[in-house]
Amino acid sequence: MIKLIKDGQYLELENGEAITIEYISTIFNDEAEFNGSYSYPVRAPFSEKNNDLLKNACLVENRSARGESMVTIEIFGQPWKQAKLSFDVTPEGYSFYCKIDNAEFAKIIKEKLLTDIFINTNAGSFVDHVYDLLGSSRLEVLNTLNDRAQNPGKGSCVFFPFKNDLMLGGTSPDSGSLDYDSSVDLFNYHTPDRGFAPMAYDGANARTHFYVPFYYLHWVIKKLCLYLGFEPTGDFFLDPRTANLVIFNTGFIGMNDIFATDGCKLAPARHLPSIKIADFIKKLRSTFKLGIYFDGKERKAIFTYSPRIAASPEAVDITGYTEPGYTIKQYVATGYELVQPIDEKDDLFSAFSYVNSYFIGDNTEPQKLESFIGTTFMSSTQEPRRETNNTWRIPRVRMLGNGFTAQAASSEAYNEQGYYKNAFDLRLLAYHGMQYDSAYQQYPYASSDNLNSFGQETENQISLWLGTRRGMINEFLKEWILFYLRTEQVELTAFLPPELLFKLSPLRKLTWTTPTQALMPAMLSQISFETVDLYDDRIGAKLLVYPIYNQAASDVKQFVEFQPGEIENPGEIYVKLRMDVYKEEKIRVINQIIILSRYVNGYLDFFSDPECTKPRNVSNLPINMFYKYRGANSRNYVDKPFTVYASGTSHQVMEDLGIDQTVYYKSSKDYWNKYYELHPGPDYHVIS
């Protein structure tokens, strides 16, 4: 028998009613779903016992008695799960149904944002933030920042330099334009000799130094699980590949906020994306191919890798309890297209090249998979480090930030207390600790790829892009997607003793013996079970499983390029200035032709190699140039800098500089010329 226990007593059902339970594994949900387990509605009488346990919820005036409450589901006298009991009141009696495991909080995670777990409310209104203490004094905060920089994965969050030339918008807090190359160090300011300590805690530093904490993914997930009432556990939290992953954000505070004399309390809600909790969980599951199981009995939230479940020797053998017949449904997908996630609010995705998608299997009609977590681009190794005159490699974006500080009050990025206006998507970076710039001076280094601070591939880092040898496909996705391409959907009927039923779990595979005496392993997707009249000591169950077949693996192939380029790293861009003659003015003197003037057009040609043999497509790439005039009188020389925003593989220079800039050379005794000159920039190399 399957019974419901509330407050230590059995709820009564109508005669002949039996509880049927749908026990669902979230591993096999579609990527847009995160389904929970539940029981089908059963009828219950308005008995004295039921009315007493439910506080007379059948009376219309007792509105408060009709809320959800916790019950225990008992199977043949043994407790199976805790569940949330919901019920309707009908003319005939109560209609009970239970929400099991993650179905307990399905409504909460669909309605609430990830940021809400770090906000205190009263009757739905904001009261205050849930704070994260960095230190109780200025010195404690400084020591915390420097200590965490040395120890990846330590604490709740970490600070590291990054580049965002639109962080403040069009204006700075003080006056006019804030050039991004000179401001890059003003976010999470760090020097080789002082670490995070500024030169002074007042004056100009206090007005222009800003700080962005990046919260560790593990820390946020654990806080979420506790918020939902579950203890987080599982091998995902023990994986060194994910221990140093942080959530990218654009929220910043001022130097006076972080280095206040009485310390600093951060508000994590200001530094996390505004994403629904359900979508956050679904993206985690898709990106890392996690088996996520909220166990309603043990109150544990288990995060483990789905391929490890399939590869584990541990299994529940139900041989001898299955019926001879079964139904096989072929899994229809023959190939998958994996789409690289991007944040459209980051302008760099329209400026740099990246591979849009990859496929596994047959790409004739691939099924799209796109519920992944994205990442950022990286600067080249030639990015200037302002305070040292060295170069370094850092993450970079181009998007408007969120300033939660009075220091940013006059900028476009300024946000009032508790107000979020400049949205950003869920993206990840990996923090690697202290690495070296071009002069071997250390700095806190984070990346989106598996390259170190010198741009060299390293074995102890993964790439957070889909592609590359150590990218997300090869590290987390490929093995499980290949399993999907090999398997089929099989429906079995079984009559199980309670001890076997209790062992079945989404995190454990099962086996059964086929008519040919083959022991077939399978992953459990769903069980529908209830007590049956045929057996007094068994549960009748229909099981939906996916067999684990041993077939040869398929290769991952690039499906289509959004623009030519390498997804693992935007790569080095080489630019060459080309001057093409389009008109000449000539005269004939005796038998000699003399060129008086030669008119030319300027073109910027882009390549992916220093030999200039492989053309490269760029979009809105800023190129530093000069317009120059030289003649007999040096007092009339012109040197006018300007920026070209180049697109394509070859871009004609046509910027309006507000002066007569016809570019030509004149051959005469008053020789003079006007010409363009190409200058270096942080995103490209100049080829002469």
Side-chain angles (χ1 to χ4, degrees):
M1 294 288 291
I2 302 177
K3 298 182 178 181
L4 302 179
I5 301 175
K6 178 173 170 56
D7 299 332
Q9 300 184 62
Y10 291 109
L11 288 164
E12 297 176 339
L13 303 183
E14 292 283 6
N15 291 332
E17 285 289 277
I19 296 174
T20 301
I21 292 175
E22 288 285 351
Y23 185 39
I24 299 171
S25 167
T26 61
I27 294 175
F28 291 95
N29 290 169
D30 289 339
E31 64 175 18
E33 298 175 348
F34 191 69
N35 295 331
S37 303
Y38 58 93
S39 69
Y40 288 103
V42 291
R43 293 179 296 117
F46 291 139
S47 66
E48 182 179 348
K49 189 175 185 180
N50 283 349
N51 288 338
D52 183 53
L53 289 172
L54 299 176
K55 297 179 174 57
N56 291 310
C58 57
L59 301 178
V60 69
E61 59 266 31
N62 289 346
R63 171 64 184 88
S64 60
R66 287 188 286 276
E68 294 180 330
S69 59
M70 297 303 295
V71 296
T72 298
I73 299 175
E74 183 186 88
I75 301 177
F76 285 113
Q78 301 178 53
W80 178 61
K81 293 277 187 184
Q82 282 189 315
K84 268 189 178 177
L85 174 69
S86 296
F87 57 88
D88 296 326
V89 177
T90 72
E92 293 76 26
Y94 297 105
S95 178
F96 292 158
Y97 53 97
C98 292
K99 300 175 182 178
I100 305 166
D101 294 339
N102 55 288
E104 283 183 30
F105 49 77
K107 183 178 180 181
I108 293 175
I109 65 175
K110 288 178 181 178
E111 294 176 353
K112 287 190 174 293
L113 299 172
L114 182 63
T115 52
D116 289 337
I117 70 176
F118 298 103
I119 293 176
N120 290 321
T121 60
N122 183 12
S125 298
F126 175 85
V127 175
D128 199 1
H129 288 278
V130 176
Y131 289 102
D132 174 29
L133 181 65
L134 282 184
S136 300
S137 68
R138 180 180 290 170
L139 182 59
E140 279 189 17
V141 171
L142 180 59
N143 289 338
T144 297
L145 267 59
N146 288 327
D147 179 51
R148 292 184 181 181
Q150 297 281 350
N151 299 282
K154 185 175 182 179
S156 58
C157 62
V158 68
F159 295 74
F160 50 78
F162 67 101
K163 177 176 180 176
N164 184 358
D165 43 312
L166 283 182
M167 192 70 155
L168 294 172
T171 58
S172 73
D174 291 316
S175 59
S177 175
L178 187 66
D179 180 73
Y180 70 84
D181 283 334
S182 63
S183 70
V184 65
D185 295 325
L186 303 183
F187 293 95
N188 295 342
Y189 181 85
H190 186 277
T191 61
D193 53 342
R194 297 186 307 277
F196 283 103
M199 294 185 66
Y201 290 98
D202 53 18
N205 289 335
R207 293 194 302 273
T208 60
H209 284 42
F210 301 101
Y211 295 84
V212 181
F214 295 92
Y215 276 89
Y216 282 109
L217 179 65
H218 281 187
W219 185 85
V220 173
I221 296 172
K222 289 176 180 179
K223 290 294 184 182
L224 171 60
C225 293
L226 295 173
Y227 174 82
L228 296 173
F230 292 79
E231 177 189 349
T233 186
D235 54 10
F236 176 75
F237 298 112
L238 304 175
D239 189 347
R241 296 175 300 174
T242 61
N244 65 337
L245 299 185
V246 297
I247 298 175
F248 170 78
N249 79 100
T250 63
F252 61 91
I253 59 176
M255 197 183 79
N256 288 337
D257 305 307
I258 194 167
F259 289 124
T261 54
D262 57 350
C264 175
K265 294 185 302 182
L266 296 173
R270 292 172 169 171
H271 306 285
L272 295 172
S274 295
I275 182 175
K276 292 289 179 64
I277 294 175
D279 293 332
F280 176 69
I281 295 174
K282 287 183 286 189
K283 282 182 176 288
L284 281 175
R285 181 187 59 188
S286 295
T287 300
F288 298 100
K289 288 304 166 197
L290 291 173
I292 301 176
Y293 178 44
F294 288 86
D295 188 338
K297 181 181 180 182
E298 301 296 332
R299 310 308 294 175
K300 292 184 182 293
I302 304 166
F303 289 67
T304 190
Y305 293 110
S306 298
R308 293 185 184 178
I309 302 171
S312 171
E314 183 181 0
V316 179
D317 189 8
I318 60 173
T319 297
Y321 299 101
T322 59
E323 293 293 284
Y326 45 77
T327 301
I328 301 176
K329 296 180 180 179
Q330 277 197 323
Y331 202 70
V332 295
T334 58
Y336 290 94
E337 179 189 353
L338 284 66
V339 180
Q340 175 65 45
I342 67 170
D343 188 338
E344 294 181 349
K345 294 169 288 297
D346 184 350
D347 290 347
L348 290 185
F349 281 99
S350 62
F352 283 153
S353 304
Y354 64 94
V355 176
N356 184 48
S357 53
Y358 292 79
F359 79 88
I360 299 177
D362 184 5
N363 70 329
T364 306
E365 293 183 0
Q367 180 177 323
K368 273 193 176 183
L369 299 177
E370 46 193 348
S371 184
F372 302 119
I373 302 175
T375 189
T376 75
F377 288 98
M378 295 293 294
S379 73
S380 76
T381 55
Q382 304 302 311
E383 183 66 39
R385 186 179 185 184
R386 181 177 55 84
E387 86 280 8
T388 63
N389 294 320
N390 306 332
T391 59
W392 58 0
R393 188 173 189 266
I394 52 177
R396 67 168 302 187
V397 298
R398 187 182 292 161
M399 60 195 308
L400 189 58
N402 289 278
F404 299 102
T405 175
Q407 293 170 227
S410 61
S411 74
E412 293 179 55
Y414 181 60
N415 272 327
E416 299 174 5
Q417 181 81 7
Y419 172 60
Y420 310 93
K421 66 174 183 179
N422 302 320
F424 54 93
D425 290 349
L426 175 63
R427 292 194 278 176
L428 296 177
L429 287 165
Y431 179 64
H432 304 295
M434 303 298 289
Q435 293 197 19
Y436 295 101
D437 65 14
S438 60
Y440 291 90
Q441 292 182 314
Q442 289 189 324
Y443 68 98
Y445 177 67
S447 76
S448 61
D449 53 32
N450 64 322
L451 307 182
N452 63 18
S453 60
F454 294 119
Q456 302 163 335
E457 189 172 353
T458 178
E459 286 300 318
N460 63 351
Q461 295 177 199
I462 63 171
S463 173
L464 296 168
W465 294 87
L466 286 182
T468 79
R469 185 174 62 86
R470 294 216 59 190
M472 301 301 286
I473 289 176
N474 286 329
E475 290 290 321
F476 299 103
L477 303 174
K478 179 179 177 180
E479 186 177 355
W480 186 249
I481 292 175
L482 289 175
F483 163 72
Y484 257 41
L485 291 175
R486 300 167 191 154
T487 193
E488 301 168 297
Q489 196 178 81
V490 177
E491 186 177 291
L492 303 170
T493 300
F495 296 95
L496 302 172
E499 58 268 20
L500 269 187
L501 178 69
F502 285 13
K503 290 180 180 179
L504 292 178
S505 163
L507 304 184
R508 183 184 295 170
K509 65 185 180 184
L510 59 83
T511 57
W512 84 97
T513 301
T514 70
T516 61
Q517 299 304 303
L519 188 65
M520 177 60 66
M523 293 286 289
L524 178 64
S525 174
Q526 188 170 340
I527 317 174
S528 178
F529 64 87
E530 62 184 5
T531 53
V532 291
D533 295 334
L534 188 62
Y535 294 97
D536 293 333
D537 58 349
R538 296 189 190 179
I539 293 290
K542 288 191 179 296
L543 298 91
L544 195 63
V545 301
Y546 289 90
I548 302 169
Y549 299 129
N550 183 20
Q551 295 182 5
S554 304
D555 290 332
V556 177
K557 299 178 181 179
Q558 184 175 302
F559 178 64
V560 62
E561 285 191 352
F562 179 76
Q563 292 176 336
E566 300 76 33
I567 192 169
E568 58 269 27
N569 173 25
E572 306 297 338
I573 298 174
Y574 299 88
V575 58
K576 190 172 186 177
L577 176 62
R578 169 168 53 92
M579 307 295 286
D580 282 357
V581 178
Y582 69 89
K583 184 176 70 172
E584 289 183 339
E585 295 178 351
K586 308 174 184 178
I587 63 170
R588 177 181 292 273
V589 179
I590 310 178
N591 292 323
Q592 182 181 4
I593 296 177
I594 298 177
I595 298 175
L596 293 179
S597 299
R598 177 178 286 130
Y599 295 83
V600 294
N601 285 327
Y603 294 88
L604 298 172
D605 296 329
F606 298 95
F607 303 91
S608 58
D609 62 318
E611 293 78 23
C612 299
T613 62
K614 301 174 182 177
R616 172 157 191 162
N617 205 339
V618 300
S619 179
N620 295 319
L621 183 67
I623 302 295
N624 299 326
M625 297 193 69
F626 269 79
Y627 169 77
K628 297 204 170 193
Y629 162 76
R630 293 294 181 266
N633 191 339
S634 60
R635 289 178 298 179
N636 297 326
Y637 284 5
V638 175
D639 293 273
K640 187 176 182 63
F642 66 101
T643 300
V644 174
Y645 289 89
S647 296
T649 57
S650 184
H651 181 95
Q652 184 176 355
V653 181
M654 301 179 67
E655 274 62 25
D656 182 6
L657 305 184
I659 57 177
D660 178 14
Q661 60 188 86
T662 304
V663 180
Y664 63 93
Y665 305 84
K666 189 166 184 178
S667 300
S668 66
K669 62 180 181 179
D670 57 339
Y671 168 82
W672 56 279
N673 64 35
K674 297 177 180 180
Y675 59 98
Y676 294 128
E677 194 170 85
L678 181 58
H679 280 236
D683 301 319
Y684 57 87
H685 301 280
V686 173
I687 301 298
S688 58

